[in-house]
Amino acid sequence: AVPPSLRPAWVPTLGRPGDYTVQVLEFRVGGHTVGSPSDFSHSIVDSGTTFIYLPPTPYAAVRRLFQQSCPWPAGCASRSVKGHYPDDFCYTMEEADLGGFANHSIRLGGGFELPLTPRQYIYKDRPGVWCLGVFDNGHAGLVIGAAAMRGHEVVFDVDGRRIAFLPHNCDAMAAAKAPSLLTG
């Protein structure tokens, strides 16, 4: 259960009970809105999906920023390498380099804005290689996968038809150095 003292910002779910369809009002890439409301119809929160999947137009904006705005003076192409998946965009880099990439965000129905730090949309493919964890789903709708949930305890309230993203140090919780925010 969510202790009332946390006062979570609940995101309403749409459709049938048990569906995790949410209203996406805006997707921001490096501070700029990409796509239109019609791009985000039929968007879902899915803890069973690893990555983030975007419609073609917003995906192209995320990919373009990733390929053109990196933290290295020699440019992004100087560090480009092949990833595990055929449509990967990857760089040779260290975890500390993540801080040089732009933050993104998703504004959802109910007034909640889910921040997406580089740690949530860039994943480690192998030692020294990090890749864009956002893919083109080929149609309208955003899939908010587990990577976007990093740094949050996510509550799927089926009966209340709502979802809450509670910021938390999940690494500390997994290492038994911090308790869960939830009770019960």
Side-chain angles (χ1 to χ4, degrees):
V2 179
S5 62
L6 292 178
R7 296 189 193 137
W10 289 100
V11 176
T13 58
L14 311 171
R16 306 184 313 269
D19 277 355
Y20 300 112
T21 302
V22 294
Q23 180 184 25
V24 174
L25 302 172
E26 183 178 41
F27 192 95
R28 294 182 63 79
V29 175
H32 303 284
T33 299
V34 297
S36 66
S38 63
D39 285 323
F40 300 112
S41 60
H42 310 293
S43 294
I44 63 170
V45 177
D46 185 7
S47 61
T49 297
T50 302
F51 300 114
I52 300 165
Y53 290 85
L54 285 169
T57 299
Y59 167 73
V62 170
R63 183 188 67 223
R64 187 172 39 258
L65 185 66
F66 186 72
Q67 292 176 306
Q68 296 173 354
S69 301
C70 56
W72 311 294
C76 303
S78 68
R79 296 207 179 191
S80 184
V81 294
K82 180 132 178 67
H84 181 77
Y85 301 104
D87 51 350
D88 266 342
F89 294 94
C90 306
Y91 297 122
T92 56
M93 61 187 236
E94 299 304 319
E95 188 169 4
D97 292 324
L98 291 173
F101 289 87
N103 289 327
H104 305 328
S105 65
I106 306 168
R107 194 164 54 94
L108 300 167
F112 179 74
E113 187 160 333
L114 178 64
L116 296 176
T117 67
R119 187 68 179 101
Q120 292 167 291
Y121 71 85
I122 300 173
Y123 72 95
K124 185 176 182 177
D125 183 60
R126 58 189 181 272
V129 176
W130 293 72
C131 304
L132 180 63
V134 179
F135 295 91
D136 185 345
N137 68 10
H139 54 79
L142 163 66
V143 178
I144 302 170
M149 299 177 204
R150 286 185 186 132
H152 294 86
E153 287 192 66
V154 181
V155 179
F156 293 86
D157 180 355
V158 176
D159 294 335
R161 299 181 66 191
R162 59 192 185 165
I163 301 171
F165 295 84
L166 303 166
H168 193 50
N169 184 340
C170 298
D171 290 337
M173 189 172 70
K177 294 180 181 175
S180 170
L181 297 172
L182 308 176
T183 59

